Amino acid sequence: MKFLGKQQNLKKILFVCVENAGRSQMAEGFFRKYAPRGWAPISAGSRPTPQINPLAVQAMKEVGIDISNQKPKELSEELIRDSWLNISMGCIDKTECPAIFVGKFEDWGIEDPKGKPLEKVREIRNKIEEKVLELVTKIESN
């Protein structure tokens, strides 16, 4: 994915999960909201689904973030190479996300919301927001 204009110089955080339909999309939405100037999020999956989990969209709307127009994207070497930090949302499986182990990497170990009821998706959303805020604090203190 190419970024145009001013966005070219942004430092990118890549959020990765297998389907790019829930956790990584929520993380992208939160980071877009809280990111310091000069930073941008992107998310991708090793086996992206055709659409975002509707409960993830609903849970994010409840906190004022609309991710309904985001689309699942396929993880690529270019996305990984162009990212300042690669974050696995919890797919620390080298068969599913082998490329993410290249470069600067963190695993957040967050439960997959797929097939979970809305109440559980909200809990997962809240955990993702906490982790994104911790990341933003770390970035701002450097």
Side-chain angles (χ1 to χ4, degrees), residues 64-89:
I65 299 173
D66 184 2
I67 62 169
S68 63
N69 291 323
Q70 292 178 200
K71 303 284 185 235
K73 298 165 283 305
E74 189 165 355
L75 182 62
S76 70
E77 287 183 32
E78 181 182 4
L79 287 176
I80 293 165
R81 186 179 51 249
D82 292 347
S83 297
W84 182 81
L85 175 64
N86 303 312
I87 297 175
S88 168
M89 300 306 294

PDB file of all heavy atoms in Angstrom, residues 64-89:
ATOM      1  N   GLY A  64     -17.446   5.727  20.071  1.00  0.00           N
ATOM      2  CA  GLY A  64     -17.281   6.873  19.186  1.00  0.00           C
ATOM      3  C   GLY A  64     -16.270   6.721  18.064  1.00  0.00           C
ATOM      4  O   GLY A  64     -15.816   7.717  17.503  1.00  0.00           O
ATOM      5  N   ILE A  65     -15.909   5.486  17.730  1.00  0.00           N
ATOM      6  CA  ILE A  65     -14.952   5.253  16.644  1.00  0.00           C
ATOM      7  C   ILE A  65     -15.635   4.408  15.570  1.00  0.00           C
ATOM      8  O   ILE A  65     -16.107   3.306  15.849  1.00  0.00           O
ATOM      9  CB  ILE A  65     -13.670   4.553  17.144  1.00  0.00           C
ATOM     10  CG1 ILE A  65     -12.965   5.433  18.178  1.00  0.00           C
ATOM     11  CG2 ILE A  65     -12.738   4.233  15.981  1.00  0.00           C
ATOM     12  CD1 ILE A  65     -11.789   4.775  18.857  1.00  0.00           C
ATOM     13  N   ASP A  66     -15.665   4.930  14.360  1.00  0.00           N
ATOM     14  CA  ASP A  66     -16.307   4.233  13.249  1.00  0.00           C
ATOM     15  C   ASP A  66     -15.256   3.515  12.415  1.00  0.00           C
ATOM     16  O   ASP A  66     -14.436   4.155  11.757  1.00  0.00           O
ATOM     17  CB  ASP A  66     -17.080   5.235  12.391  1.00  0.00           C
ATOM     18  CG  ASP A  66     -17.855   4.573  11.267  1.00  0.00           C
ATOM     19  OD1 ASP A  66     -17.843   3.327  11.146  1.00  0.00           O
ATOM     20  OD2 ASP A  66     -18.487   5.320  10.481  1.00  0.00           O
ATOM     21  N   ILE A  67     -15.277   2.184  12.462  1.00  0.00           N
ATOM     22  CA  ILE A  67     -14.352   1.391  11.642  1.00  0.00           C
ATOM     23  C   ILE A  67     -15.102   0.693  10.508  1.00  0.00           C
ATOM     24  O   ILE A  67     -14.545  -0.180   9.844  1.00  0.00           O
ATOM     25  CB  ILE A  67     -13.547   0.368  12.489  1.00  0.00           C
ATOM     26  CG1 ILE A  67     -14.473  -0.648  13.161  1.00  0.00           C
ATOM     27  CG2 ILE A  67     -12.659   1.075  13.496  1.00  0.00           C
ATOM     28  CD1 ILE A  67     -13.739  -1.841  13.785  1.00  0.00           C
ATOM     29  N   SER A  68     -16.346   1.078  10.281  1.00  0.00           N
ATOM     30  CA  SER A  68     -17.180   0.389   9.294  1.00  0.00           C
ATOM     31  C   SER A  68     -16.655   0.514   7.863  1.00  0.00           C
ATOM     32  O   SER A  68     -16.950  -0.344   7.031  1.00  0.00           O
ATOM     33  CB  SER A  68     -18.623   0.879   9.364  1.00  0.00           C
ATOM     34  OG  SER A  68     -18.703   2.253   9.033  1.00  0.00           O
ATOM     35  N   ASN A  69     -15.881   1.530   7.567  1.00  0.00           N
ATOM     36  CA  ASN A  69     -15.342   1.695   6.216  1.00  0.00           C
ATOM     37  C   ASN A  69     -13.957   1.085   6.033  1.00  0.00           C
ATOM     38  O   ASN A  69     -13.417   1.103   4.932  1.00  0.00           O
ATOM     39  CB  ASN A  69     -15.310   3.176   5.828  1.00  0.00           C
ATOM     40  CG  ASN A  69     -16.705   3.729   5.649  1.00  0.00           C
ATOM     41  OD1 ASN A  69     -17.601   3.049   5.152  1.00  0.00           O
ATOM     42  ND2 ASN A  69     -16.912   4.961   6.082  1.00  0.00           N
ATOM     43  N   GLN A  70     -13.362   0.571   7.116  1.00  0.00           N
ATOM     44  CA  GLN A  70     -12.072  -0.099   7.000  1.00  0.00           C
ATOM     45  C   GLN A  70     -12.294  -1.447   6.319  1.00  0.00           C
ATOM     46  O   GLN A  70     -13.359  -2.040   6.443  1.00  0.00           O
ATOM     47  CB  GLN A  70     -11.432  -0.281   8.388  1.00  0.00           C
ATOM     48  CG  GLN A  70     -11.022   1.031   9.015  1.00  0.00           C
ATOM     49  CD  GLN A  70     -10.432   0.899  10.417  1.00  0.00           C
ATOM     50  OE1 GLN A  70     -10.415   1.869  11.122  1.00  0.00           O
ATOM     51  NE2 GLN A  70      -9.975  -0.269  10.833  1.00  0.00           N
ATOM     52  N   LYS A  71     -11.311  -1.895   5.595  1.00  0.00           N
ATOM     53  CA  LYS A  71     -11.390  -3.163   4.870  1.00  0.00           C
ATOM     54  C   LYS A  71     -10.258  -4.085   5.308  1.00  0.00           C
ATOM     55  O   LYS A  71      -9.135  -3.631   5.496  1.00  0.00           O
ATOM     56  CB  LYS A  71     -11.259  -2.931   3.356  1.00  0.00           C
ATOM     57  CG  LYS A  71     -12.275  -1.977   2.776  1.00  0.00           C
ATOM     58  CD  LYS A  71     -13.619  -2.629   2.639  1.00  0.00           C
ATOM     59  CE  LYS A  71     -14.608  -1.706   1.949  1.00  0.00           C
ATOM     60  NZ  LYS A  71     -15.793  -1.481   2.693  1.00  0.00           N
ATOM     61  N   PRO A  72     -10.560  -5.395   5.459  1.00  0.00           N
ATOM     62  CA  PRO A  72      -9.477  -6.344   5.734  1.00  0.00           C
ATOM     63  C   PRO A  72      -8.453  -6.314   4.597  1.00  0.00           C
ATOM     64  O   PRO A  72      -8.805  -6.230   3.420  1.00  0.00           O
ATOM     65  CB  PRO A  72     -10.205  -7.690   5.804  1.00  0.00           C
ATOM     66  CG  PRO A  72     -11.589  -7.328   6.260  1.00  0.00           C
ATOM     67  CD  PRO A  72     -11.881  -6.034   5.535  1.00  0.00           C
ATOM     68  N   LYS A  73      -7.177  -6.346   4.995  1.00  0.00           N
ATOM     69  CA  LYS A  73      -6.076  -6.276   4.039  1.00  0.00           C
ATOM     70  C   LYS A  73      -5.137  -7.457   4.260  1.00  0.00           C
ATOM     71  O   LYS A  73      -4.983  -7.923   5.381  1.00  0.00           O
ATOM     72  CB  LYS A  73      -5.297  -4.967   4.219  1.00  0.00           C
ATOM     73  CG  LYS A  73      -6.117  -3.713   3.959  1.00  0.00           C
ATOM     74  CD  LYS A  73      -5.453  -2.452   4.476  1.00  0.00           C
ATOM     75  CE  LYS A  73      -5.521  -2.209   5.944  1.00  0.00           C
ATOM     76  NZ  LYS A  73      -6.800  -2.184   6.613  1.00  0.00           N
ATOM     77  N   GLU A  74      -4.484  -7.870   3.195  1.00  0.00           N
ATOM     78  CA  GLU A  74      -3.551  -8.984   3.295  1.00  0.00           C
ATOM     79  C   GLU A  74      -2.186  -8.502   3.765  1.00  0.00           C
ATOM     80  O   GLU A  74      -1.665  -7.492   3.288  1.00  0.00           O
ATOM     81  CB  GLU A  74      -3.416  -9.690   1.943  1.00  0.00           C
ATOM     82  CG  GLU A  74      -2.621 -10.967   2.059  1.00  0.00           C
ATOM     83  CD  GLU A  74      -2.778 -11.864   0.844  1.00  0.00           C
ATOM     84  OE1 GLU A  74      -3.567 -11.555  -0.063  1.00  0.00           O
ATOM     85  OE2 GLU A  74      -2.083 -12.896   0.814  1.00  0.00           O
ATOM     86  N   LEU A  75      -1.623  -9.226   4.697  1.00  0.00           N
ATOM     87  CA  LEU A  75      -0.289  -8.941   5.203  1.00  0.00           C
ATOM     88  C   LEU A  75       0.719  -9.140   4.074  1.00  0.00           C
ATOM     89  O   LEU A  75       0.666 -10.123   3.347  1.00  0.00           O
ATOM     90  CB  LEU A  75       0.028  -9.903   6.358  1.00  0.00           C
ATOM     91  CG  LEU A  75       1.364  -9.749   7.058  1.00  0.00           C
ATOM     92  CD1 LEU A  75       1.469  -8.377   7.715  1.00  0.00           C
ATOM     93  CD2 LEU A  75       1.532 -10.844   8.093  1.00  0.00           C
ATOM     94  N   SER A  76       1.630  -8.184   3.925  1.00  0.00           N
ATOM     95  CA  SER A  76       2.643  -8.289   2.874  1.00  0.00           C
ATOM     96  C   SER A  76       4.008  -7.924   3.453  1.00  0.00           C
ATOM     97  O   SER A  76       4.110  -7.257   4.479  1.00  0.00           O
ATOM     98  CB  SER A  76       2.313  -7.344   1.721  1.00  0.00           C
ATOM     99  OG  SER A  76       2.503  -5.998   2.122  1.00  0.00           O
ATOM    100  N   GLU A  77       5.032  -8.344   2.749  1.00  0.00           N
ATOM    101  CA  GLU A  77       6.392  -7.987   3.163  1.00  0.00           C
ATOM    102  C   GLU A  77       6.581  -6.478   3.144  1.00  0.00           C
ATOM    103  O   GLU A  77       7.275  -5.923   3.987  1.00  0.00           O
ATOM    104  CB  GLU A  77       7.415  -8.661   2.255  1.00  0.00           C
ATOM    105  CG  GLU A  77       7.539 -10.140   2.512  1.00  0.00           C
ATOM    106  CD  GLU A  77       8.614 -10.782   1.652  1.00  0.00           C
ATOM    107  OE1 GLU A  77       9.615 -10.111   1.334  1.00  0.00           O
ATOM    108  OE2 GLU A  77       8.442 -11.962   1.310  1.00  0.00           O
ATOM    109  N   GLU A  78       5.958  -5.801   2.181  1.00  0.00           N
ATOM    110  CA  GLU A  78       6.074  -4.348   2.089  1.00  0.00           C
ATOM    111  C   GLU A  78       5.485  -3.668   3.324  1.00  0.00           C
ATOM    112  O   GLU A  78       6.098  -2.747   3.873  1.00  0.00           O
ATOM    113  CB  GLU A  78       5.370  -3.835   0.833  1.00  0.00           C
ATOM    114  CG  GLU A  78       5.482  -2.341   0.663  1.00  0.00           C
ATOM    115  CD  GLU A  78       4.747  -1.819  -0.570  1.00  0.00           C
ATOM    116  OE1 GLU A  78       4.087  -2.603  -1.270  1.00  0.00           O
ATOM    117  OE2 GLU A  78       4.843  -0.609  -0.812  1.00  0.00           O
ATOM    118  N   LEU A  79       4.313  -4.116   3.775  1.00  0.00           N
ATOM    119  CA  LEU A  79       3.707  -3.531   4.976  1.00  0.00           C
ATOM    120  C   LEU A  79       4.627  -3.717   6.178  1.00  0.00           C
ATOM    121  O   LEU A  79       4.813  -2.803   6.975  1.00  0.00           O
ATOM    122  CB  LEU A  79       2.344  -4.162   5.265  1.00  0.00           C
ATOM    123  CG  LEU A  79       1.187  -3.788   4.358  1.00  0.00           C
ATOM    124  CD1 LEU A  79      -0.066  -4.586   4.723  1.00  0.00           C
ATOM    125  CD2 LEU A  79       0.905  -2.300   4.414  1.00  0.00           C
ATOM    126  N   ILE A  80       5.193  -4.903   6.298  1.00  0.00           N
ATOM    127  CA  ILE A  80       6.080  -5.201   7.422  1.00  0.00           C
ATOM    128  C   ILE A  80       7.341  -4.346   7.342  1.00  0.00           C
ATOM    129  O   ILE A  80       7.746  -3.722   8.313  1.00  0.00           O
ATOM    130  CB  ILE A  80       6.432  -6.706   7.441  1.00  0.00           C
ATOM    131  CG1 ILE A  80       5.167  -7.510   7.759  1.00  0.00           C
ATOM    132  CG2 ILE A  80       7.541  -6.995   8.441  1.00  0.00           C
ATOM    133  CD1 ILE A  80       5.285  -8.974   7.450  1.00  0.00           C
ATOM    134  N   ARG A  81       7.932  -4.287   6.183  1.00  0.00           N
ATOM    135  CA  ARG A  81       9.173  -3.529   5.967  1.00  0.00           C
ATOM    136  C   ARG A  81       8.967  -2.037   6.226  1.00  0.00           C
ATOM    137  O   ARG A  81       9.848  -1.359   6.755  1.00  0.00           O
ATOM    138  CB  ARG A  81       9.672  -3.773   4.547  1.00  0.00           C
ATOM    139  CG  ARG A  81      11.016  -3.179   4.226  1.00  0.00           C
ATOM    140  CD  ARG A  81      11.485  -3.477   2.798  1.00  0.00           C
ATOM    141  NE  ARG A  81      10.480  -3.155   1.794  1.00  0.00           N
ATOM    142  CZ  ARG A  81       9.823  -4.061   1.055  1.00  0.00           C
ATOM    143  NH1 ARG A  81      10.067  -5.345   1.191  1.00  0.00           N
ATOM    144  NH2 ARG A  81       8.923  -3.683   0.168  1.00  0.00           N
ATOM    145  N   ASP A  82       7.795  -1.515   5.838  1.00  0.00           N
ATOM    146  CA  ASP A  82       7.530  -0.082   5.966  1.00  0.00           C
ATOM    147  C   ASP A  82       7.056   0.329   7.360  1.00  0.00           C
ATOM    148  O   ASP A  82       6.813   1.506   7.604  1.00  0.00           O
ATOM    149  CB  ASP A  82       6.488   0.360   4.932  1.00  0.00           C
ATOM    150  CG  ASP A  82       7.024   0.284   3.509  1.00  0.00           C
ATOM    151  OD1 ASP A  82       8.249   0.133   3.335  1.00  0.00           O
ATOM    152  OD2 ASP A  82       6.204   0.366   2.578  1.00  0.00           O
ATOM    153  N   SER A  83       6.917  -0.620   8.261  1.00  0.00           N
ATOM    154  CA  SER A  83       6.401  -0.329   9.600  1.00  0.00           C
ATOM    155  C   SER A  83       7.530  -0.138  10.604  1.00  0.00           C
ATOM    156  O   SER A  83       8.527  -0.857  10.572  1.00  0.00           O
ATOM    157  CB  SER A  83       5.493  -1.460  10.067  1.00  0.00           C
ATOM    158  OG  SER A  83       4.382  -1.556   9.214  1.00  0.00           O
ATOM    159  N   TRP A  84       7.331   0.802  11.496  1.00  0.00           N
ATOM    160  CA  TRP A  84       8.284   1.051  12.572  1.00  0.00           C
ATOM    161  C   TRP A  84       8.194  -0.069  13.613  1.00  0.00           C
ATOM    162  O   TRP A  84       9.177  -0.460  14.219  1.00  0.00           O
ATOM    163  CB  TRP A  84       7.978   2.405  13.201  1.00  0.00           C
ATOM    164  CG  TRP A  84       8.925   2.799  14.284  1.00  0.00           C
ATOM    165  CD1 TRP A  84      10.170   3.350  14.126  1.00  0.00           C
ATOM    166  CD2 TRP A  84       8.717   2.684  15.686  1.00  0.00           C
ATOM    167  NE1 TRP A  84      10.740   3.581  15.355  1.00  0.00           N
ATOM    168  CE2 TRP A  84       9.863   3.173  16.343  1.00  0.00           C
ATOM    169  CE3 TRP A  84       7.662   2.209  16.465  1.00  0.00           C
ATOM    170  CZ2 TRP A  84       9.988   3.214  17.724  1.00  0.00           C
ATOM    171  CZ3 TRP A  84       7.785   2.240  17.847  1.00  0.00           C
ATOM    172  CH2 TRP A  84       8.947   2.737  18.450  1.00  0.00           C
ATOM    173  N   LEU A  85       6.949  -0.588  13.819  1.00  0.00           N
ATOM    174  CA  LEU A  85       6.705  -1.660  14.779  1.00  0.00           C
ATOM    175  C   LEU A  85       5.598  -2.550  14.253  1.00  0.00           C
ATOM    176  O   LEU A  85       4.585  -2.056  13.754  1.00  0.00           O
ATOM    177  CB  LEU A  85       6.295  -1.070  16.140  1.00  0.00           C
ATOM    178  CG  LEU A  85       5.889  -2.051  17.241  1.00  0.00           C
ATOM    179  CD1 LEU A  85       7.068  -2.938  17.649  1.00  0.00           C
ATOM    180  CD2 LEU A  85       5.349  -1.297  18.455  1.00  0.00           C
ATOM    181  N   ASN A  86       5.792  -3.864  14.368  1.00  0.00           N
ATOM    182  CA  ASN A  86       4.781  -4.852  13.987  1.00  0.00           C
ATOM    183  C   ASN A  86       4.201  -5.439  15.264  1.00  0.00           C
ATOM    184  O   ASN A  86       4.946  -5.933  16.110  1.00  0.00           O
ATOM    185  CB  ASN A  86       5.406  -5.969  13.154  1.00  0.00           C
ATOM    186  CG  ASN A  86       6.094  -5.441  11.923  1.00  0.00           C
ATOM    187  OD1 ASN A  86       5.535  -4.646  11.184  1.00  0.00           O
ATOM    188  ND2 ASN A  86       7.329  -5.862  11.688  1.00  0.00           N
ATOM    189  N   ILE A  87       2.878  -5.381  15.397  1.00  0.00           N
ATOM    190  CA  ILE A  87       2.231  -5.893  16.604  1.00  0.00           C
ATOM    191  C   ILE A  87       1.292  -7.023  16.234  1.00  0.00           C
ATOM    192  O   ILE A  87       0.342  -6.834  15.465  1.00  0.00           O
ATOM    193  CB  ILE A  87       1.456  -4.783  17.332  1.00  0.00           C
ATOM    194  CG1 ILE A  87       2.428  -3.705  17.802  1.00  0.00           C
ATOM    195  CG2 ILE A  87       0.656  -5.362  18.499  1.00  0.00           C
ATOM    196  CD1 ILE A  87       1.775  -2.495  18.418  1.00  0.00           C
ATOM    197  N   SER A  88       1.565  -8.201  16.782  1.00  0.00           N
ATOM    198  CA  SER A  88       0.648  -9.328  16.657  1.00  0.00           C
ATOM    199  C   SER A  88      -0.414  -9.166  17.735  1.00  0.00           C
ATOM    200  O   SER A  88      -0.093  -8.979  18.906  1.00  0.00           O
ATOM    201  CB  SER A  88       1.393 -10.647  16.863  1.00  0.00           C
ATOM    202  OG  SER A  88       0.459 -11.693  17.021  1.00  0.00           O
ATOM    203  N   MET A  89      -1.648  -9.262  17.336  1.00  0.00           N
ATOM    204  CA  MET A  89      -2.731  -9.118  18.306  1.00  0.00           C
ATOM    205  C   MET A  89      -2.884 -10.375  19.158  1.00  0.00           C
ATOM    206  O   MET A  89      -3.530 -10.345  20.179  1.00  0.00           O
ATOM    207  CB  MET A  89      -4.043  -8.805  17.581  1.00  0.00           C
ATOM    208  CG  MET A  89      -3.995  -7.523  16.761  1.00  0.00           C
ATOM    209  SD  MET A  89      -3.477  -6.063  17.687  1.00  0.00           S
ATOM    210  CE  MET A  89      -4.829  -5.879  18.824  1.00  0.00           C
TER     211      MET A  89
END
